[in-house]
Amino acid sequence: MRTLKFLLVTLLIISVVPVQARRKASKKQQKEQVQLPAKVDSISYAFGIDAGNGIKAAFKDIKERSDLELKPEIFVQAFNNVLLNDSAVFTKEEAADILNKFGAEMQRIAREKQKIAAEKNLAEGKAFLAAKASEVGVQKTESGLLYVVERQGTGEKPTLNDRVKVHYTGKLISGKKFDSSYDRQQPLELSVGGVIAGWQEGLQLMPVGSKYIFYIPSELGYGERGAGKDIPANSALIFEVELLEIIR
């Protein structure tokens, strides 16, 4: 894992000042204690700050993903043992084995969390869509797509083989916005047959000049795979779509 590899590499460059000693001194005292008379001293110190910030972020990442809070005191002790007197408790091979096993454990924990989150998203999406389907003005197709006509245009309807120009905003059912052509102030051109199934079906319902809201079940969206960090697995989606033009 990148985080664990980063920890191993930066063992060679982080500060060797004992953590407890740093904690006892105020920030002002710490600054007064640091002497940087030469250019190489300033560069060395800056390098330590950069590496320290990286280590701090790595510790936080591990805490968030595994609920394991690493101990900086022991971390620095190991560094001192290796760099100052080569008296580490573990050999490099033993340390690598420990971290490899921990990496595998973190991957297992991540998979379990993703599975639980996906199941939760699926259940919440179904409940949201079931409630939405009963609202006045909401229409439902045979596939399960829900839509509301905000404005009905008078132009042609696109086919699966057409390219269209649209404005849109995409949200999760929580209301969190993950994408918007309006924010970019630039309409999007796309192939009707090249987008998610909910969009393919929905666009073909719209005459040019229309503005619809789509409520898309996860199976007509990005399904179990999700889409990056913004759209988790099994997410139901809400899209406000304005069909501007069919491009031929």
Side-chain angles (χ1 to χ4, degrees):
M1 300 176 62
R2 291 182 60 188
T3 297
L4 295 176
K5 290 180 180 178
F6 178 75
L7 287 174
L8 285 172
V9 171
T10 50
L11 276 172
L12 299 177
I13 56 176
I14 63 171
S15 170
V16 298
V17 179
V19 173
Q20 292 296 345
R22 291 201 305 272
R23 286 180 174 174
K24 291 178 181 178
S26 68
K27 288 185 178 180
K28 182 178 179 181
Q29 289 172 328
Q30 289 174 39
K31 289 182 179 179
E32 291 174 350
Q33 290 169 3
V34 176
Q35 300 297 320
L36 306 171
K39 180 179 179 181
V40 67
D41 300 325
S42 296
I43 294 172
S44 299
Y45 194 80
F47 196 23
I49 290 175
D50 184 63
N53 285 327
I55 290 294
K56 186 176 181 179
F59 274 33
K60 181 180 179 182
D61 180 61
I62 288 174
K63 175 75 164 55
E64 290 175 349
R65 291 197 285 152
S66 69
D67 297 324
L68 183 68
E69 189 162 1
L70 299 183
K71 297 181 178 181
E73 295 87 350
I74 295 178
F75 183 86
V76 173
Q77 181 183 1
F79 170 77
N80 288 342
N81 290 158
V82 169
L83 188 64
L84 300 182
N85 52 33
D86 200 21
S87 61
V89 174
F90 303 130
T91 65
K92 287 193 295 185
E93 292 74 20
E94 288 170 335
D97 183 58
I98 290 170
L99 293 179
N100 285 335
K101 288 178 179 178
F102 177 54
E105 181 183 356
M106 286 186 69
Q107 290 177 347
R108 177 186 60 78
I109 292 171
R111 287 194 296 270
E112 289 178 356
K113 286 184 176 181
Q114 289 169 357
K115 181 180 178 182
I116 292 170
E119 291 173 350
K120 180 173 180 287
N121 291 337
L122 185 62
E124 290 179 347
K126 287 182 176 180
F128 173 85
L129 293 171
K132 182 62 64 175
S134 65
E135 294 181 6
V136 176
V138 177
Q139 302 182 59
K140 184 176 182 179
T141 69
E142 188 175 342
S143 71
L145 173 69
L146 304 181
Y147 67 96
V148 173
V149 178
E150 291 277 286
R151 182 179 70 243
Q152 187 75 335
T154 58
E156 292 183 69
K157 293 181 180 180
T159 69
L160 201 62
N161 297 321
D162 284 329
R163 285 186 61 80
V164 296
K165 181 183 290 187
V166 299
H167 255 317
Y168 70 95
T169 295
K171 298 179 181 179
L172 303 177
I173 61 172
S174 65
K176 180 181 179 181
K177 180 167 62 177
F178 56 81
D179 193 13
S180 175
S181 65
Y182 293 104
D183 289 349
R184 294 188 295 273
Q185 299 182 347
Q186 180 65 48
L188 178 68
E189 294 184 11
L190 55 86
S191 171
V192 176
V195 290
I196 57 175
W199 268 63
Q200 290 182 24
E201 182 178 5
L203 285 171
Q204 292 180 84
L205 298 173
M206 300 177 69
V208 171
S210 296
K211 186 175 184 179
Y212 283 19
I213 299 176
F214 301 147
Y215 299 94
I216 301 178
S218 63
E219 61 269 22
L220 300 179
Y222 295 96
E224 294 181 352
R225 70 183 186 280
K229 294 182 179 180
D230 294 328
I231 303 177
N234 289 341
S235 292
L237 304 172
I238 303 170
F239 282 99
E240 178 183 300
V241 180
E242 191 174 3
L243 180 56
L244 304 175
E245 182 183 350
I246 298 174
I247 303 169
R248 292 195 172 98

